[in-house]
């Protein structure tokens, strides 16, 4: 196997551990935690928001930490902490015990997204950047599918077995990819030059639209399995089953987004992506038919990492490649902040009103606004166009 494939698969595993399992694996676990009386519904929702808060910290501090510790070494540390945090959650000691561990897994997920993934992409040859990007982001979907399969299979054994299973998978993948996370002479830390010039009005608008997108998928990434299992009274197995559909979409989304962008350009692709995602976030409000639920899960799952890949390409168009890493860090940090705020707000609303449909409605409105905002980010500034 070539170095390109080994590096790309290592990046895939980084996202599989930090995002696919440690973060999104919690979604199908929520009804199991409630059913076994480890947490009540409100605490389970707040715990999901706590993980998002950790993601905020990790994504915002990733650039600073990578200047203190080589990114490859920082990635190893993040993977180890993630594995330990998952194993610690095997103990049924309540919300106050779970909260710091879930915050830590969110923090390490932010580190892996902002620091580790760009590192592996930088090692790929220029003509293979698109392919490498698609492979790496596929890790999110594979992690979602793995967790959606693992949780129902171990549900009868209780939450401890599920947490242990996720910790085991994370630990094995950490060992498997360990040799690729060694510092190499060509590795570069995230730069900080040109940050003032890069923050233009189009970048600010793109940032706001991307933050709205991050808030809009909270109903699907935090409440989806619980909505199916308890809201529609279809059971934990059904919740995990429809979560797998989300994972299938997330696995295919980045690659498909790349092909679409090549055909229609990043501007049209990002704008259209927001509109499509809005329609399918709203779909469960209109119909709870199994086909409608599966379609909603697949499309929203595909657009979750898919829009991230498109937004990354759009950033390169707006600011050029020299400032891409820095601006992408801003978008990732903003994405995390919006996710955390929306997570706590929607947890409060759900705890107060108990309505899943209210949450889907809020997400739909946010995506419609994001689509309208992205329309106004049509042409990159002249200097960025020249730099590209």
């Amino acid at each position: 196997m070539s170095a390109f494939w080994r590096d790309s698969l290592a990046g895939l595993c980084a996202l599989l551990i930090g995002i696919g399992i440690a973060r999104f694996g919690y979604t199908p676990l929520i009804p199991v935690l409630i059913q076994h009386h480890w947490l009540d519904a409100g605490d389970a929702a707040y715990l999901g928001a706590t993980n998002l808060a950790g993601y905020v910290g990790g994504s915002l501090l990733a650039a600073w930490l990578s200047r203190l510790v080589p990114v490859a070494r920082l990635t190893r540390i993040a993977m180890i902490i993630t594995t330990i945090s998952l194993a610690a959650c095997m103990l049924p000691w309540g919300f106050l015990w779970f909260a710091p561990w879930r915050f830590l897994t969110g923090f390490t997920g932010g580190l892996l997204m902002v620091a580790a993934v760009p590192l592996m992409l930088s090692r790929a040859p220029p003509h293979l950047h698109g392919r490498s990007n698609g492979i790496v982001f596929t890790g999110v979907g594979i992690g979602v599918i793995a967790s959606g399969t693992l949780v129902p299979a171990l549900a009868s054994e209780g939450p401890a077995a599920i947490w242990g299973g996720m910790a085991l998978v994370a630990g094995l993948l950490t060992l498997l990819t360990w040799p690729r996370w060694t510092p190499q002479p060509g590795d570069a830390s995230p730069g900080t030059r040109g940050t003032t010039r890069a923050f233009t009005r189009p970048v600010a608008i793109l940032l706001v639209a991307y933050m709205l997108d991050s808030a809009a998928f909270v109903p699907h990434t935090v409440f989806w399995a619980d909505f199916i299992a308890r809201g529609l009274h279809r059971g934990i197995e059904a919740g995990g089953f429809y979560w797998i559909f989300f994972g299938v979409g997330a696995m295919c989304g980045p690659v498909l987004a790349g092909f679409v962008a090549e055909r229609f350009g990043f501007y049209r692709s990002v704008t259209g992506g927001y509109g499509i995602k809005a329609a399918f976030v709203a779909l469960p409000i209109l119909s709870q038919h199994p086909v409608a639920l599966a379609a909603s899960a697949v499309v929203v799952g595909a657009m979750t990492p898919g829009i991230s890949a498109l937004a990354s390409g759009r950033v390169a168009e707006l600011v050029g490649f020299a400032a891409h890493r820095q601006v992408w860090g801003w978008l990732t940090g903003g994405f995390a902040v919006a996710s955390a705020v929306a997570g706590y707000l929607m947890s409060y609303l759900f705890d107060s009103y108990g309505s899943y449909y209210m949450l889907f409605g809020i997400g739909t409105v946010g995506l419609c606004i994001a689509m309208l905002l992205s329309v106004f980010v049509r042409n990159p500034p002249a200097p960025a166009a020249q730099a590209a």
Side-chain angles (χ1 to χ4, degrees), residues 1-144:
M1 185 183 294
S2 67
F4 164 77
W5 279 101
R6 288 196 296 270
D7 286 338
S8 296
L9 291 175
L12 181 154
C13 289
L15 282 192
L16 196 160
I17 293 170
I19 309 297
I21 293 177
R23 180 179 175 187
F24 289 153
Y26 178 71
T27 301
L29 181 55
I30 289 176
V32 181
L33 292 170
I34 296 172
Q35 186 180 65
H36 285 78
H37 306 292
W38 281 34
L39 296 169
D40 60 33
D43 283 345
Y46 282 120
L47 198 62
T50 299
N51 182 258
L52 294 177
Y55 190 76
V56 172
S59 59
L60 293 179
L61 293 177
W64 176 71
L65 288 173
S66 66
R67 288 194 289 271
L68 302 177
V69 181
V71 174
R73 194 171 301 155
L74 189 64
T75 300
R76 286 179 169 177
I77 296 172
M79 288 180 167
I80 292 172
I81 292 175
T82 300
T83 303
I84 293 173
S85 298
L86 291 170
C89 290
M90 296 173 64
L91 300 173
W93 291 350
F95 179 83
L96 293 179
W97 169 256
F98 288 124
W101 295 113
R102 292 303 296 160
F103 181 89
L104 271 178
T105 54
F107 189 92
T108 54
L111 290 181
L112 293 171
M113 174 62 78
V114 176
V117 173
L119 172 65
M120 284 311 184
L121 293 179
S122 72
R123 293 180 180 179
H127 68 286
L128 294 178
H129 278 177
R131 187 177 305 180
S132 178
N133 186 69
I135 294 170
V136 169
F137 274 91
T138 299
V140 176
I142 294 176
V144 171

Side-chain angles (χ1 to χ4, degrees), residues 140-226:
V140 176
I142 294 176
V144 171
I145 293 174
S147 62
T149 304
L150 182 67
V151 171
L154 297 178
S156 61
E157 303 298 324
I162 298 172
W163 286 117
M166 291 194 291
L168 178 62
V169 172
L172 290 175
L173 291 176
T174 298
L175 292 176
L176 181 66
T177 60
W178 192 266
R180 305 313 301 170
W181 301 111
T182 54
Q184 297 183 10
D187 293 346
S189 299
T192 57
R193 288 188 174 183
T195 59
T196 302
R197 185 177 301 175
F199 195 76
T200 61
R201 182 178 177 183
V203 167
I205 296 174
L206 184 65
L207 172 61
V208 173
Y210 195 55
M211 290 174 69
L212 287 170
D213 170 64
S214 75
F217 77 70
V218 168
H220 272 73
T221 56
V222 176
F223 297 94
W224 182 246
D226 192 48

